[in-house]
């Protein structure tokens, strides 16, 4: 957001704080992200989340969502508190018990913010697009491949589309899809809903069936450290020299540049831009979700780029725009306009009323997938 | 254990409590079950586990392992405590912070005791048998199938052995493998190490490559309730009428009785006994791990059983024997001896120095797999 707006928005946030206003709507329902059989956390029609944690001897209980209510202890020894209205979609959080930050034992566990921990799913108007529906399903396969450059056996998740096993003579294009910083190779198939989104698009005839491959986007196995001195070469080596040959030999792929795409969110978007620009003979479709954009100045040989790259997709959540998220590669809308001006097939997508979160990236995938491998 | 022994053992447990004895060995190493980059929990050569949790304002911190040390707060606001020496293998636990029972944020998350929560892996002399080694790997596929009887889309994990995709003309036998009560369909492939155990056995030429299918062993999606009034029919319907046809149509199986096995642990062993005895034309190999045994009296038609069942395997942890765990079907060793006496191919396996835990079941699978589909 623009600096000048911050004080105003901060003021609005304070004024809309529930603590001083009416009681939240009393239509709480268990969150779909809960562990089996757990009543709490609950979500209401205002998109607030209410928590319950049994901690009879605690002095203070809270949650990492800003502007949440104070937690109060009930007669049952359980503490209750709730959030401000949240955006639609998926949000990581942790509980705080006397200074300890711990996962909510009632939530399913997701890897984000560099830990397996809790998160909550807020119902969304477009949730049917990422729901598990009664349509033919693809498979998500956990596979391991030998990586010489790192001396490890590395995990990949491979989504094979519906019909893959039933059509042993058919070959498929491949999308390599990366998570963000602090996340890992589980992100896209768990909170990202890759299977559901693509199964649904294929069932609706809106996307071609293709394979998706997801690996961990760093090579430091401890997942620590910052991005300032990030050297992408070790990851690029794993992806381009080791993973792609493994996938092309073990799966029925269309193993050529026109049928290979790369996309990623946030850090994975930065990785996508760097890796694809350096490997234009390997990838033909490029998707960058909340991870900067591609400026004309980034492209060394525009004629070669125009000839080789079939489509560029840049996506953002509306709440991210105007800030510094788009700075790499310049303002993303303007950058896409400039690409188009130069005759490159580029698309800009803005996810309404979402921030730097999974709801933005689910929608980016849903919008990107129908544009893949169409020409 | 026999009632008369309880007071004596309780006394021994008190006397061996570390709190009154020497300090634990100071050779702590991060547990392999930790989240990436986490130093704690640590395990030492005595197989004790040491925990660290930052909870600066807590009054009391503990862990669910019995006979653990008191937790004390360090100058860094973190609490430290450790366990008694534990058995080799995998143990679920939770931390207790001022009366709240929560997952240890440093542990990976596992589903057991009816929740996703923390667990710790204690190094074992035979851990190479379930390690991820540099051998050809099978895949673990997450698939969904339509279940008419329950009106749901149900998750299954399907292990396809190394070579499955490379040999499109080959068909494979199938083992249906069930978890225990309070666990779910993730158990065998995560803490049970199905992939690692079978990949290693196949690489050593000790087991035939076969497919393994794992589903949730109940049909109440909330995973609640006890076993007393457990009616197996809804699960049996899903398994026999819906899952098996789905697997036989979607995977390259040898879709006949001689090439179909069922096994399970604890509740899954009970389910295996009931389902196989009622479906002798469907299954030819039966594995019961810490879940009772099969007595001659359980078998309605011994001649038919002897003709149809190629192998019965009953396994237990040594620490379970002599108690009431084996009571269903009688003393398991005696029951197996009686089966043998009656001319049935039956095997008894005792896992040394393990209890009703995953180390027992990993070993049971390791011993059972080489006996499958051999004749």
């Amino acid at each position: 957001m623009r600096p000048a707006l911050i004080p105003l928005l901060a003021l609005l946030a304070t004024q809309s704080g529930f603590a001083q206003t009416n009681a939240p709507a009393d239509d709480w329902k268990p969150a779909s992200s809960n562990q089996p059989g757990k009543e709490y956390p609950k979500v209401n029609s205002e998109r607030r989340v209410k928590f319950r944690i049994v901690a009879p001897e605690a002095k203070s209980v809270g949650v990492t969502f800003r502007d949440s209510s104070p937690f109060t202890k009930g007669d049952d020894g359980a503490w209750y508190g709730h959030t401000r209205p949240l955006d639609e979609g998926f949000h990581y959080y942790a509980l705080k018990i006397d200074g300890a930050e711990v996962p909510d034992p009632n939530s399913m566990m997701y890897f984000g913010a560099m830990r397996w921990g809790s998160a909550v799913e807020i119902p969304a108007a477009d949730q049917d697009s990422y729901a598990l529906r009664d349509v033919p399903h693809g498979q998500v396969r956990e596979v391991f491949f030998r990586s010489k450059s790192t001396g490890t056996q590395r995990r990949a998740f491979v989504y094979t589309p519906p019909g893959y096993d039933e059509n042993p003579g058919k070959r498929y294009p491949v999308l390599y899809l990366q998570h963000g910083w602090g996340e890992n190779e589980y992100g896209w198939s768990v909170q990202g809903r890759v299977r559901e989104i693509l199964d649904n698009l294929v069932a609706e005839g809106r996307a071609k069936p293709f394979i998706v491959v997801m690996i961990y986007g760093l090579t430091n196995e401890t997942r620590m450290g910052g991005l300032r001195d990030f050297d992408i070469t070790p990851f690029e080596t794993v992806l381009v020299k080791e993973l792609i040959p493994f996938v092309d030999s073990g799966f029925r792929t269309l193993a050529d540049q026109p049928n290979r795409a790369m996309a990623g969110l946030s850090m994975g978007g930065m990785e996508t831009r760097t890796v694809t620009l350096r490997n234009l003979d390997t990838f033909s479709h490029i998707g960058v979700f909340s991870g900067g954009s591609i400026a004309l100045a980034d492209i060394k040989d525009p004629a070669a780029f125009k000839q080789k790259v079939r489509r560029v997709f840049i996506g953002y959540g509306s709440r991210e725009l105007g800030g510094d998220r788009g700075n790499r590669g310049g303002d993303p809308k303007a950058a896409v306009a400039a690409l188009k001006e130069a005759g490159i097939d580029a698309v800009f997508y803005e996810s309404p009323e979402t921030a730097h979160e999974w709801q933005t990236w689910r929608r980016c995938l849903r919008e990107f997938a129908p544009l893949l491998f169409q020409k």
Side-chain angles (χ1 to χ4, degrees), chain A:
Chain A
M1 75 192 54
R2 293 182 195 91
L5 283 180
I6 291 178
L8 175 60
L9 288 179
L11 181 65
L12 287 170
T14 304
Q15 289 189 331
S16 68
F18 53 86
Q20 290 78 31
T21 62
N22 297 333
D26 196 23
D27 51 3
W28 303 101
K29 288 186 189 126
S32 64
S33 42
N34 290 358
Q35 296 207 17
K38 299 296 183 191
E39 281 287 298
Y40 285 87
K42 291 182 174 182
V43 185
N44 76 0
S45 55
E46 298 161 342
R47 304 192 309 272
R48 296 182 196 269
V49 185
K50 188 175 175 182
F51 306 93
R52 177 183 191 271
I53 177 80
V54 177
E57 297 149 42
K59 282 193 297 280
S60 76
V61 170
V63 66
T64 51
F65 286 113
R66 66 173 169 78
D67 302 330
S68 291
S69 78
F71 277 55
T72 53
K73 187 157 71 165
D75 295 337
D76 53 356
W79 293 72
Y80 296 85
H82 60 266
T83 69
R84 72 188 194 281
L86 301 175
D87 284 345
E88 294 185 342
F90 177 91
H91 311 285
Y92 299 115
Y93 72 95
L95 292 179
K96 295 187 273 191
I97 302 173
D98 283 350
E101 202 168 300
V102 293
D104 183 342
N106 292 327
S107 163
M108 296 282 281
M109 300 295 169
Y110 305 89
F111 196 84
M114 296 210 295
R115 83 287 185 278
W116 287 95
S118 32
V120 64
E121 186 75 46
I122 308 289
D126 60 347
Q127 65 190 10
D128 199 43
S129 65
Y130 51 86
L132 183 74
R133 287 160 30 193
D134 187 9
V135 299
H137 295 301
Q139 302 178 351
V140 175
R141 307 183 182 192
E142 186 188 24
V143 306
F144 284 85
F145 64 103
R146 183 192 284 122
S147 161
K148 240 185 169 172
S149 68
T150 60
T152 55
Q153 301 279 328
R154 301 184 80 75
R155 180 188 285 109
F157 288 103
V158 179
Y159 164 84
T160 53
Y164 182 88
D165 280 316
E166 292 78 4
N167 297 286
K170 190 170 173 185
R171 295 189 162 267
Y172 297 83
V174 186
L175 165 65
Y176 291 83
L177 186 59
Q178 293 302 130
H179 59 84
W181 186 82
E183 298 176 329
N184 68 11
E185 65 274 22
Y186 289 81
W188 268 110
S189 61
V190 180
Q191 55 266 47
R193 308 278 184 99
V194 157
R195 175 215 311 270
E196 293 86 340
I197 291 169
L198 295 182
D199 286 353
N200 293 339
L201 288 173
V202 169
E204 292 161 6
R206 292 181 53 212
K208 269 196 177 178
F210 56 82
I211 293 168
V212 184
V213 182
M214 298 153 277
I215 60 166
Y216 180 55
L218 299 171
T219 53
N220 59 328
E221 300 310 305
T222 54
R223 273 87 168 163
M224 302 299 283
L227 285 173
R228 187 181 295 268
D229 305 313
F230 179 51
D231 173 14
I232 201 172
T233 313
F235 167 70
E236 184 184 6
T237 302
V238 170
L239 175 68
V240 177
K241 307 273 186 218
E242 298 172 343
L243 178 64
I244 290 179
F246 169 81
V247 169
D248 283 338
S249 74
F251 293 85
R252 297 194 318 279
T253 63
L254 290 163
D256 53 8
Q257 188 263 6
N259 289 294
R260 205 178 287 118
M262 182 173 180
L265 71 93
S266 195
M267 176 189 81
M270 296 162 46
E271 293 180 324
T272 297
R273 186 184 58 234
T274 306
V275 170
T276 53
L277 287 174
R278 279 157 49 153
N279 295 275
L280 289 180
D281 291 327
T282 304
F283 301 98
S284 55
H285 296 71
I286 305 172
V288 178
F289 310 159
S290 305
S293 57
I294 296 179
L296 271 178
D298 294 330
I299 300 170
K300 280 185 194 162
D301 182 345
F305 187 92
K306 196 171 151 182
Q307 187 218 326
K308 291 176 180 172
V309 175
R310 308 223 164 173
R311 192 154 266 157
V312 174
F313 177 99
I314 308 290
Y316 267 97
S318 66
R319 298 200 201 286
E320 301 181 276
L321 293 170
D324 61 2
R325 289 280 180 193
N327 276 351
R328 291 189 186 81
D331 169 63
K333 268 191 211 179
V336 166
L339 292 178
K340 281 181 176 172
E341 188 73 23
I344 292 161
D345 187 336
V347 174
F348 183 77
Y349 169 70
E350 181 177 329
S351 161
E353 293 178 34
T354 61
H356 199 68
E357 292 200 297
W358 276 99
Q359 193 70 358
T360 299
W361 308 321
R362 292 169 177 168
R363 289 175 177 168
C364 281
L365 178 64
R366 185 186 71 202
E367 301 300 319
F368 183 48
L371 307 176
L372 284 173
F373 315 120
Q374 297 294 319
K375 51 181 182 181

